[in-house]
């Protein structure tokens, strides 16, 4: 295992989202802190009415690095071309569905800092406030003293309706909603709701030969994310001011989805990185802090009313490129990348790679063509007996109108792309940039460095390293030449 | 024996699944508001309006203090310009000058096209040159000569704008730049190439990304920026459009209509950008009509959608109403020069037109599925589907992969 190289030094740190930096920049930051004139905030007990802080105390607040103003300021963008005005708004009573896992952790802090009264609706399984890596004691105690908790199960629709109606909220951020029916009681409980801001997913887009996905593109009613789509449709059909955000792959410190972590484990262990197929598949990562910023920018923003925005990084990345970027960000030497054909392996339930090769495979069956949208189909072919495969196939096909073509006959002619099921997946963030003036702070390597320095690099991770599938791949030695 | 990294991908255009990912839908929208005016209409003429601006953008830096996003301020210059286009006499970029000339003329500007070489040359028998009468009948001038002698060729005519759509290196462009400067030309435009971007793991290529230091266009771009204060550089990729001098989609059509397999090197997943030339023309026209905004800018002169090589083959097949059989191969294993065997780069080569959108309020109108249908109609009209063609390189590849070709 080679010597670890010096970590990338990101841009000067900001307070809440403390980016690690060199000692010099940390000193600089401390100086900055001392100069800040923070108003002493009254500790708010639960269930107290909303308060509003005088603007001056917040206009100084310690450096969340925004390129754009937060509430309280009327400001013209430095680029007059996009003459956007973020209207000043007073403190709001905000409900976040969820908020203790990943996105919400960062979003809730931003909202609290802005002076809003923020309540998290959770079952209480995770602590309502957890100190972020790099978060100062002061900031954390400030946050934890202000954040409110409404304990409950969002699937208990009666409880949702009564508790929300009793509280009355101005704005709802729905970060963890999956199904449309979960949203109905919320809308019913809050007829005067100013805005419903929903965390959807770019996974709703119909796969296409033409990319990037833009917000007006066709969506796939049969995708894995159809619950998100149904929720968007519900919001559109109801008389509510809604905004929907479609992220792609989210990353950053505390990511519970082992995206960057998967690479970091292998880099740390000095292991080669197995990448399926040719490694040229393109995906897209967006830093959680940039996503949180976008969520803030749509708040009370008339430009966001009834609008959908893709939010992710400005640049896309190949699978191979991502492996290299993780290494660069974390200060590891360039990794050995091993390509393999996933169809030659049966990984069982284990995921051999953090990204879905969200592809389409075309199968010729009895002179008809059947499109299978599910990744597992290859796995089925390899490991299940013929009859079960046919049944499985017909179950899939039943979702598709051309049912007539499947007869359950013995002769299956299977013709598929050798590199089958590869698909690029990325979305344009041009709309958010031009309409909201939003812009990601982090480029990929900076963002991965931020994640590494605040999370994995400190010895924390969500999922322990598991190299079972790696070993299967490496031992079988059926590697494709890159 | 070549290692067979070949594969077969069948797609039939008669396959109509309601949400088939293979067939390309017109872009559907659930949301009531549309961000980009994504036009799906067929452009039967290139005489599109010279402003393709969506209302959420403002054109010019001189915005009236009272304008808000909902009002649409047109502050671009309404002044008519005298434009000189130095046009190459062959290759993929030749068609750019043709469309640009026509669009400028339809907007009321004065245009002279100086084509390199001689009017009597055989090269002039090919499109777009064999259609130059269209420029003349719209009031444009067409002349021929050596760009190094541009001053002599155009006589004493004074121009406001010069577009060099010819030179790839400084030796060729410098005389044009120098003459333009001395002749009082106000704005200098240059067709460069997106091919100069350094390869990246993080597509797309955006303006400002590193370029290959040894690319000859780079020196040209620098020189223009040094000499002129009002300049703009355009970096295109691949184009389709009637009047194209170089094959693009035809390469696919040739094989599809003859029921031949389409050999695509590598995985077929390589992303590229194939734009209708009217997009390039509209971007150039916007720059002429809003020189202040365009000044000092580099523009990726492309549509705003990428397509994979496999995707392009499929779209061509759909446009032709036929099925396609794609065969992948490794050029090295088969022993062919990929550059000669296939018209597109064997790597991700994808740029996005971000500056044009941001700064000029430009929007793309390329709609490959629809545009290719139109292209196929013309392909058949000129009888190219019946033309006997030899597929020597294809045959070499297919033989190496032991693929049977139906007779």
């Amino acid at each position: 295992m080679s010597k670890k190289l010096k970590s990338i030094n990101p841009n000067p740190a900001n307070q809440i989202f403390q980016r690690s930096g060199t000692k010099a920049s940390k000193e600089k930051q401390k100086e900055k802190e001392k100069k800040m004139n923070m108003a002493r905030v009254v500790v708010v007990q639960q269930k107290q009415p909303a308060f509003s802080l005088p603007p001056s105390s917040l206009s100084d607040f310690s450096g969340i690095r925004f390129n754009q103003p937060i509430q309280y300021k009327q400001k013209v963008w430095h680029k007059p071309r996009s003459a956007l005005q973020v209207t000043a708004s007073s403190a709001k009573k905000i409900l976040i569905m969820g908020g203790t896992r990943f996105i919400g952790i960062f979003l809730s802090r931003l909202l609290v800092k802005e002076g809003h009264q923020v309540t998290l609706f959770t079952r209480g399984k995770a602590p309502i406030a957890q100190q972020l890596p790099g978060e100062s004691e002061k900031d954390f105690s400030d946050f934890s003293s202000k954040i409110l908790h409404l304990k409950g199960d969002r699937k208990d629709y009666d409880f949702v309706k009564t508790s929300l109606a009793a509280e009355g909220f101005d704005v709802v951020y729905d970060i963890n909603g999956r199904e449309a029916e979960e949203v109905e009681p919320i809308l019913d409980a809050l007829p005067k709701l100013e805005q419903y801001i929903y965390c959807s997913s770019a996974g709703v887009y119909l796969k296409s030969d033409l990319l990037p996905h833009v917000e007006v593109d066709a969506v796939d009613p049969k995708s894995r994310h159809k619950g998100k789509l149904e929720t968007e449709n519900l919001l559109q059909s109801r008389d509510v001011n809604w905004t929907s955000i479609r992220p792609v792959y989210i990353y950053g410190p505390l990511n519970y989805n082992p995206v960057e972590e998967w690479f970091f484990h292998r880099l740390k262990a000095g292991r080669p990185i197995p990448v399926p197929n040719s490694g040229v598949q393109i995906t897209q990562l967006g830093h959680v802090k940039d996503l949180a910023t976008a969520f803030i920018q749509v708040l009370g923003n008339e430009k966001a009313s009834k609008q959908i925005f893709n939010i992710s990084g400005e640049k896309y990345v190949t699978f191979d490129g991502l492996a290299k970027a993780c290494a660069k960000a974390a200060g590891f030497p360039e990794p050995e990348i091993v390509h393999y054909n996933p169809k030659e392996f049966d990984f069982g339930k284990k995921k051999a790679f953090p990204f879905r090769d969200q592809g389409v495979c075309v199968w010729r069956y009895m002179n008809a063509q059947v499109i299978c949208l599910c990744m597992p189909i290859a796995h089925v072919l390899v490991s299940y007996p013929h009859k079960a495969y046919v049944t499985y196939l017909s179950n899939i096909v039943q979702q598709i109108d051309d049912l007539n073509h499947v007869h359950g006959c013995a002769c299956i002619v299977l013709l598929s792309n050798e590199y089958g099921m590869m698909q690029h997946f990325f979305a344009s963030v041009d709309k958010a940039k031009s309409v909201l003036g939003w812009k990601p702070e982090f480029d990929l390597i900076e963002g991965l460095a931020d994640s590494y320095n605040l999370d994995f690099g400190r010895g924390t991770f969500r999922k322990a390293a598991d190299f079972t599938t790696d070993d299967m791949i490496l031992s079988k030695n059926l590697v494709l030449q890159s | 024996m070549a290692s067979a990294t070949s594969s077969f991908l069948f797609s039939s255009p008669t396959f109509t699944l309601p949400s088939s990912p293979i067939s390309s839908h017109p872009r559907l929208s659930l949301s009531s508001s549309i961000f980009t005016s994504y036009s799906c209409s067929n452009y039967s003429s290139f005489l599109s309006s010279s402003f393709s601006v969506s209302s959420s953008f403002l054109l010019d830096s001189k915005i009236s203090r009272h304008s808000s996003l909902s009002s649409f301020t047109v502050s671009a210059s309404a002044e008519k310009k005298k434009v000189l286009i130095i046009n190459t006499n062959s290759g993929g970029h030749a068609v750019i000058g043709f469309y640009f000339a026509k669009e400028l003329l339809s907007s009321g500007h004065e245009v002279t096209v100086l084509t390199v070489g001689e009017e009597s040359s055989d090269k002039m028998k090919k499109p777009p040159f064999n259609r130059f009468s269209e420029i003349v009948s719209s009031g444009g001038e067409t002349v021929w000569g050596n760009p190094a002698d541009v001053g002599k060729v155009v006589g004493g005519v004074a121009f406001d704008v010069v577009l060099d759509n010819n030179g790839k290196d400084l030796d060729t462009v410098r005389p044009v730049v120098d003459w333009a400067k001395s002749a009082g030309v106000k704005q200098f435009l240059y067709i460069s190439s997106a091919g100069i971007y350094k390869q990246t793991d993080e597509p797309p290529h955006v303006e400002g990304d590193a370029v290959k230091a040894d690319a000859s266009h780079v020196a040209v771009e620098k020189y223009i920026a040094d000499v002129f204060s009002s300049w703009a550089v355009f970096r295109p990729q691949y184009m389709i459009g009637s009047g194209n001098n170089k094959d693009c989609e035809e390469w696919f059509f040739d094989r599809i209509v003859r029921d031949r397999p389409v050999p695509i090197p590598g995985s077929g997943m390589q992303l590229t950008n194939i734009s209708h030339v009217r997009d390039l023309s509209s971007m150039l026209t916007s720059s002429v009509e809003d020189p202040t905004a365009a000044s000092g800018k580099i523009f990726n002169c492309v549509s705003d959608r990428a397509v994979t090589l496999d995707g392009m083959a499929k779209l061509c097949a759909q446009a032709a109403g036929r099925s396609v059989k794609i065969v992948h191969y490794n050029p090295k294993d088969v022993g062919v020069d990929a550059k000669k065997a296939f018209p597109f780069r064997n790597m991700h080569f994808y740029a996005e037109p971000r500056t044009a959108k941001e700064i000029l309020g430009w929007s793309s109108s390329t709609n490959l599925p629809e545009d290719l249908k139109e292209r196929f109609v013309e392909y058949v009209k000129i009888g190219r589907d019946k033309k006997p063609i030899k597929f020597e390189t294809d045959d070499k590849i297919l033989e190496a992969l032991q693929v049977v070709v139906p007779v």
Side-chain angles (χ1 to χ4, degrees), chain B residues 130-162:
Chain B
N130 57 10
R131 290 171 56 180
F132 268 19
S133 55
E134 293 172 38
I135 296 177
V136 174
S137 63
S138 304
E141 293 272 337
T142 52
V143 295
W144 278 259
N146 185 347
D149 302 323
V150 51
K152 237 185 281 173
V153 178
V154 302
V157 180
F159 293 98
D160 302 305
V161 184
V162 170

Side-chain angles (χ1 to χ4, degrees), chain A residues 299-315:
Chain A
L299 177 63
N301 188 343
E302 60 180 29
K303 299 283 162 287
S305 172
K306 308 197 178 187
Q307 295 291 331
I308 297 170
F309 297 97
N310 295 334
I311 298 290
S312 193
E314 278 184 295
K315 290 270 201 144

Side-chain angles (χ1 to χ4, degrees), chain B residues 126-201:
Chain B
K126 296 179 71 183
F129 312 106
N130 57 10
R131 290 171 56 180
F132 268 19
S133 55
E134 293 172 38
I135 296 177
V136 174
S137 63
S138 304
E141 293 272 337
T142 52
V143 295
W144 278 259
N146 185 347
D149 302 323
V150 51
K152 237 185 281 173
V153 178
V154 302
V157 180
F159 293 98
D160 302 305
V161 184
V162 170
L163 168 69
D164 187 308
N165 178 32
N166 174 52
K168 298 184 181 160
D169 55 57
L170 195 48
D171 284 343
T172 315
V173 186
R174 193 191 293 120
V176 178
V177 176
D178 291 345
W179 164 80
K181 184 72 180 178
S182 66
V185 169
K186 299 196 204 81
Q187 184 188 33
F188 199 94
L189 308 175
Y190 175 58
I191 301 291
S192 176
S193 168
I196 65 176
Y197 283 112
K198 263 191 177 160
Q199 256 199 293
T200 176
D201 286 328

Side-chain angles (χ1 to χ4, degrees), chain A residues 184-344:
Chain A
E184 277 170 12
I186 302 173
L187 296 177
D188 292 341
L190 304 167
K192 296 209 206 102
L193 189 64
E194 290 172 20
Q195 192 176 13
Y196 195 102
I197 303 173
Y198 182 57
C199 186
S200 179
S201 167
V204 302
Y205 288 115
L206 185 64
K207 298 295 168 282
S208 171
D209 288 323
L210 296 169
L211 289 163
H213 293 297
V214 299
E215 288 81 352
V216 298
D217 281 0
V219 288
D220 183 1
K222 294 174 183 133
S223 80
R224 266 188 338 121
H225 305 273
K226 68 183 205 288
K228 300 269 190 189
L229 194 51
E230 284 159 13
T231 304
E232 286 184 352
N233 291 343
L234 173 73
L235 291 168
Q236 283 165 351
S237 70
R238 294 280 293 253
D239 183 25
V240 65
N241 175 27
W242 60 270
T243 301
S244 181
I245 302 279
R246 292 177 180 168
V248 188
Y249 284 100
I250 310 169
Y251 74 108
L254 305 182
N255 195 358
Y256 59 81
N257 187 9
V259 172
E260 66 270 49
E261 180 185 286
W262 187 90
F263 292 94
F264 291 150
H265 273 310
R266 283 144 187 82
L267 291 165
K268 182 170 175 199
R271 284 177 148 265
I273 309 221
V275 175
N277 296 312
S278 63
V280 301
Q281 303 90 307
I282 297 178
T283 188
Q284 184 183 15
L285 272 63
H287 199 287
V288 65
K289 293 172 192 173
D290 287 327
L291 178 58
T293 304
F295 273 115
I296 294 290
Q297 287 187 263
V298 300
L299 177 63
N301 188 343
E302 60 180 29
K303 299 283 162 287
S305 172
K306 308 197 178 187
Q307 295 291 331
I308 297 170
F309 297 97
N310 295 334
I311 298 290
S312 193
E314 278 184 295
K315 290 270 201 144
Y316 324 123
V317 65
T318 61
F319 284 174
D320 279 0
L322 181 55
K324 290 189 236 169
C326 286
K328 202 165 173 198
F332 292 104
E334 188 162 323
E336 184 196 343
I337 295 173
V338 164
H339 294 127
Y340 64 97
N341 186 343
K343 293 199 292 203
E344 290 171 12

Side-chain angles (χ1 to χ4, degrees), chain A residues 206-210 218 360 362 369 371, chain B residues 11-27 311 314-315 317-319 369 373:
Chain A
L206 185 64
K207 298 295 168 282
S208 171
D209 288 323
L210 296 169
V360 167
V362 180
Q369 284 178 328
I371 285 188
Chain B
S11 80
S12 163
T14 59
F15 187 33
T16 47
L17 281 187
S19 22
S20 163
I22 294 256
S23 72
S24 41
H25 289 270
R27 300 276 155 176
K314 285 190 252 166
L315 290 178
Q318 276 163 2
K373 284 196 187 127

Side-chain angles (χ1 to χ4, degrees), chain B residues 18-41:
Chain B
S19 22
S20 163
I22 294 256
S23 72
S24 41
H25 289 270
R27 300 276 155 176
L28 302 170
S29 168
L30 281 185
S31 134
S32 51
S33 50
I34 310 279
F35 159 61
T36 48
S37 39
Y38 198 87
S39 161
C40 290
S41 61

Side-chain angles (χ1 to χ4, degrees), chain A residues 79-85 206-222 229 232-233 236 242 246 278-282 303 305-308 313-318 320-322 324-325 360 362 364 369-371 373 400-402 405 415-419 422-424 426 428-435 443-445 481, chain B residues 4-13 15-36 38 56-63 67-69 200-206 209 266-267 269-271 292-293 304-308 310-312 314-315 318 328 330 348 350 352 354 357-360 367-369:
Chain A
K79 266 203 230 166
R81 222 149 255 117
S82 42
L84 295 168
Q85 313 267 339
L206 185 64
K207 298 295 168 282
S208 171
D209 288 323
L210 296 169
L211 289 163
H213 293 297
V214 299
E215 288 81 352
V216 298
D217 281 0
V219 288
D220 183 1
K222 294 174 183 133
L229 194 51
E232 286 184 352
N233 291 343
Q236 283 165 351
W242 60 270
R246 292 177 180 168
S278 63
V280 301
Q281 303 90 307
I282 297 178
K303 299 283 162 287
S305 172
K306 308 197 178 187
Q307 295 291 331
I308 297 170
E314 278 184 295
K315 290 270 201 144
Y316 324 123
V317 65
T318 61
D320 279 0
L322 181 55
K324 290 189 236 169
V360 167
V362 180
R364 174 161 280 192
Q369 284 178 328
V370 175
I371 285 188
L373 302 172
I400 303 167
D401 287 348
D402 266 8
H405 292 260
L415 292 161
S416 75
N417 192 328
E418 163 100 15
Y419 290 97
M422 283 207 298
Q423 179 78 11
H424 301 304
F426 54 94
S428 169
V429 298
D430 279 355
K431 181 181 175 183
K433 284 167 73 176
S434 63
V435 173
D443 68 32
L444 183 62
I445 294 186
Q481 298 302 317
Chain B
T5 42
S6 67
S7 48
F8 300 78
L9 181 66
F10 288 82
S11 80
S12 163
F15 187 33
T16 47
L17 281 187
S19 22
S20 163
I22 294 256
S23 72
S24 41
H25 289 270
R27 300 276 155 176
L28 302 170
S29 168
L30 281 185
S31 134
S32 51
S33 50
I34 310 279
F35 159 61
T36 48
Y38 198 87
S56 48
F57 290 94
L58 298 169
L59 283 179
D60 193 87
S61 53
K62 313 192 256 301
I63 294 167
S67 68
S68 67
L69 262 182
T200 176
D201 286 328
E202 293 185 49
H205 295 301
V206 300
D209 280 358
S267 63
M269 293 288 293
Q270 303 89 314
L271 265 190
T292 317
D304 60 3
R305 299 280 193 162
V307 67
T308 60
D310 275 4
M312 181 61 180
K314 285 190 252 166
L315 290 178
Q318 276 163 2
H328 294 128
N330 184 335
H348 286 311
Y350 174 55
E352 280 186 7
R354 294 188 184 178
K357 281 180 156 184
E358 244 180 276
I359 304 288
L360 296 175
N367 179 335
L368 268 188

